Amino acid sequence: MKPKITWLVFISIIAFIALSGIQGYLIYNTYTLKSNAFIENTRSKILSIDYDQELDSIVDTWQEDLKNQIADYKNKRTTQKEMLDWLQQKADSLNKDYYRIYQEQLTGKKLGYSVNYKKNIVSVVIFDNTNDTIFPIGEKETFKLFGNDFPNSKANSVSVTRTFSQYDYIDQTKGDITTQHYNLEIKFKDLMYIEDKNNIVFKQMLGLLIGSLFLFLVMLGLFYYSLKSLITQKKLSTVKTDFINNITHELKTPLATLGIATKSLKNQQILNKPEALENSLAIIERQNERIQKLIDQVMTNSLTAEHLNLKLQSLEIISFLKQLSEDFRISVTDKQLSLEASFQQEPVYVAIDKFYFSTAILNVLDNAVKYSKGEVDISLSTSTDKGFFILKIKDQGIGIPKAAQHYLFDKFYRVSQGNLQSNQGLGLGLYYTQQIILAHGGVLKVESEKGKGSTFIIKIPMER
């Protein structure tokens, strides 16, 4: 059964991870679509600005200067680098008016968010007898013509355009003045950078994100609840099975003894001997009482703190504990017991039910004897703190594993590791003890380490 539960939990976790992954993938796809739609909407509005006549005239002015610079370049009056440097300076001088007009046009679009824009030159090529590439040269791959500068890696493309024009220039390089022709190709690439693009897209997706998060949390809660219920049910099933096995074992011995004693009463020789008959009847009586006590233990120890009908009375608790510990010392005859008591001298008064409170303490002491190897070493100590009386019962037994301490006071729970399972029981003693302490308005805690004994701490309120 355990491997089936393990596989079921494993498959459930894999399914949950898969569903979470699918949900994350769908959100990512939605973000991509929203982002692309947002970029496309911004691009379409920016494209409409590119056809502004004032902006076109500034670009034409720059191209006219480029034509003149190429004429000087062809006549070897300037170098390629000097020509590009001059064109950059010219573009910078024109950019102030260009960017101002552009921003005015952009403001009229009422986008509601900030957009940076620039027009780059990708290449400048002269087609004539030599087919000369003016740009790019060296490591420089782009040439910002107009707009605001920003890294190309953060930008989105607006458009890529190409102009192809034919120009004439006066060639004076060979001593004769001649008119030469060339074709000029210029490739432009317009780029934009939306500073708060991610925040804007996420705001547009806010409803979807909140809904997805809510569904994820609901799914996580249901998953956790289902797994917890499954594990709890498995645990309860195991506990109930152990309880049935334990109580069956406890009942078998007295029932078997009763059967033998009953059969002996059918023997004529036993009936003719008064002593033998009395002995058989005594056996039947003892085993009947044992069965009755076992049934009473199951019935009584199953009560919760709310159902315990306490008869509280004011008691001087130190004297009460001294008498109780002494009676317990005398009652232990099957093991060598060392019981040390370190009680405070001043009297402390508490309101307790003598019967139930005695039962709670004796249950803890019985466990200390039951789960100790060899000589039993128990120490009792008392103290007071902030209106509470504190009793500590410490033993040097085999201890309790950390993992089991959380369930130690659960009904029917019995630690099933190591030597702790070597003693028979119903798993009701500590549960009943805790219910008694809770009914008195107190707290029961345990401090233990496997192999190093246990300390049970009982705190109950003092009388005021």
Side-chain angles (χ1 to χ4, degrees):
M1 185 67 181
K2 187 176 180 180
K4 290 183 179 180
I5 294 294
T6 303
W7 273 107
L8 185 58
V9 171
F10 176 76
I11 293 171
S12 299
I13 292 173
I14 294 299
F16 178 76
I17 293 173
L19 288 174
S20 300
I22 292 171
Q23 187 178 23
Y25 176 74
L26 292 175
I27 291 174
Y28 173 77
N29 273 356
T30 303
Y31 168 79
T32 302
L33 292 173
K34 287 273 188 183
S35 179
N36 291 340
F38 173 69
I39 292 171
E40 189 59 36
N41 179 60
T42 305
R43 179 186 290 116
S44 64
K45 292 182 179 180
I46 290 178
L47 280 174
S48 64
I49 299 175
D50 284 347
Y51 299 107
D52 184 81
Q53 291 182 352
E54 291 184 276
L55 296 177
D56 287 343
S57 66
I58 294 175
V59 176
D60 291 341
T61 300
W62 181 85
Q63 283 192 252
E64 186 65 25
D65 283 345
L66 174 61
K67 183 184 72 171
N68 296 332
Q69 287 295 313
I70 290 175
D72 290 342
Y73 172 71
K74 285 292 186 180
N75 284 286
K76 304 187 184 304
R77 290 192 292 268
T78 184
T79 65
Q80 184 178 5
K81 185 178 183 306
E82 290 173 341
M83 178 179 64
L84 290 176
D85 288 342
W86 190 92
L87 290 173
Q88 182 69 74
Q89 293 175 7
K90 183 65 176 180
D92 290 343
S93 66
L94 295 172
N95 188 44
K96 183 177 181 181
D97 290 334
Y98 185 96
Y99 201 64
R100 174 182 58 79
I101 297 170
Y102 193 90
Q103 287 297 321
E104 289 175 356
Q105 293 290 332
L106 192 62
T107 303
K109 299 298 179 181
K110 297 180 180 180
L111 295 177
Y113 48 88
S114 177
V115 178
N116 290 319
Y117 168 86
K118 68 178 177 179
K119 181 183 285 291
N120 279 350
I121 294 178
V122 178
S123 65
V124 179
V125 182
I126 299 173
F127 292 97
D128 55 7
N129 295 331
T130 58
N131 290 342
D132 195 358
T133 299
I134 303 300
F135 181 81
I137 58 171
E139 297 180 356
K140 193 171 184 180
E141 297 181 354
T142 59
F143 182 108
K144 183 184 77 69
L145 187 60
F146 299 119
N148 192 19
D149 198 17
F150 50 83
N152 293 339
S153 59
K154 295 182 178 181
N156 297 107
S157 176
V158 176
S159 64
V160 177
T161 57
R162 184 180 71 166
T163 63
F164 198 83
S165 307
Q166 189 178 59
Y167 295 105
D168 298 330
Y169 72 97
I170 304 300
D171 185 7
Q172 300 175 342
T173 58
K174 296 180 181 179
D176 299 328
I177 298 175
T178 59
T179 301
Q180 300 293 331
H181 308 283
Y182 68 89
N183 293 318
L184 180 64
E185 181 193 66
I186 306 175
K187 289 184 179 178
F188 298 97
K189 186 173 185 179
D190 293 0
L191 299 173
M192 64 178 180
Y193 170 54
I194 308 170
E195 295 181 0
D196 296 326
K197 183 192 74 174
N198 290 337
N199 290 337
I200 294 169
V201 174
F202 280 129
K203 284 181 181 179
Q204 292 177 354
M205 295 176 59
L206 187 60
L208 175 64
L209 292 174
I210 292 175
S212 298
L213 178 62
F214 175 75
L215 290 176
F216 175 80
L217 292 176
V218 170
M219 186 168 63
L220 180 63
L222 291 174
F223 176 75
Y224 173 76
Y225 178 76
S226 299
L227 278 185
K228 185 178 179 182
S229 298
L230 179 65
I231 294 171
T232 302
Q233 291 299 321
K234 176 65 173 64
K235 176 189 168 187
L236 288 175
S237 176
T238 303
V239 167
K240 288 179 180 178
T241 301
D242 290 343
F243 172 71
I244 292 171
N245 292 337
N246 290 332
I247 199 170
T248 300
H249 177 84
E250 294 287 340
L251 287 170
K252 274 184 178 180
T253 301
L255 287 174
T257 306
L258 278 174
I260 294 171
T262 303
K263 287 181 180 179
S264 68
L265 294 178
K266 296 179 180 179
N267 190 323
Q268 194 63 39
Q269 293 180 356
I270 298 293
L271 295 175
N272 292 334
K273 294 181 179 180
E275 293 181 1
L277 178 60
E278 185 177 348
N279 183 53
S280 296
L281 291 174
I283 292 174
I284 293 173
E285 184 178 4
R286 286 197 303 271
Q287 297 307 317
N288 180 63
E289 289 179 358
R290 183 177 176 183
I291 293 173
Q292 187 62 48
K293 287 181 179 180
L294 187 62
I295 293 173
D296 289 342
Q297 183 185 1
V298 174
M299 297 297 293
T300 304
N301 290 9
S302 296
L303 295 175
T304 62
E306 294 80 6
H307 296 97
L308 291 176
N309 186 18
L310 301 182
K311 296 179 180 178
L312 300 176
Q313 56 180 301
S314 178
L315 280 179
E316 201 287 293
I317 191 67
I318 303 300
S319 300
F320 172 76
L321 289 175
K322 287 179 180 179
Q323 183 63 50
L324 186 65
S325 58
E326 187 60 32
D327 291 345
F328 179 76
R329 188 200 308 271
I330 296 172
S331 67
V332 178
T333 57
D334 57 339
K335 286 187 178 183
Q336 186 175 352
L337 173 63
S338 172
L339 182 61
E340 295 183 3
S342 177
F343 298 140
Q344 58 199 87
Q345 298 299 319
E346 65 273 13
V348 179
Y349 290 88
V350 294
I352 61 172
D353 183 302
K354 288 181 64 176
F355 172 76
Y356 282 116
F357 197 74
S358 299
T359 302
I361 295 174
L362 291 174
N363 279 345
V364 177
L365 292 172
D366 284 337
N367 276 350
V369 173
K370 186 186 296 184
Y371 297 112
S372 292
K373 294 180 178 179
E375 182 179 348
V376 182
D377 188 1
I378 303 174
S379 63
L380 285 76
S381 62
T382 63
S383 61
T384 58
D385 181 45
K386 298 178 181 179
F388 279 87
F389 172 75
I390 302 171
L391 169 64
K392 292 185 178 181
I393 303 174
K394 184 177 182 180
D395 65 61
Q396 301 297 323
I398 57 179
I400 304 165
K402 294 291 184 183
Q405 293 177 25
H406 180 71
Y407 307 102
L408 194 62
F409 302 112
D410 290 356
K411 187 188 292 187
F412 304 128
Y413 181 78
R414 297 180 71 245
V415 181
S416 59
Q417 297 182 11
N419 295 328
L420 291 176
Q421 194 73 314
S422 62
N423 294 281
Q424 292 298 323
L426 302 180
L428 288 170
L430 288 178
Y431 165 78
Y432 187 44
T433 298
Q434 187 191 50
Q435 298 305 310
I436 291 173
I437 301 302
L438 290 175
H440 282 82
V443 177
L444 174 62
K445 297 192 299 183
V446 63
E447 295 175 354
S448 182
E449 187 174 345
K450 191 174 181 181
K452 296 184 178 180
S454 305
T455 301
F456 286 84
I457 303 169
I458 298 172
K459 293 176 65 175
I460 59 171
M462 298 187 297
E463 281 192 334
R464 297 182 181 181

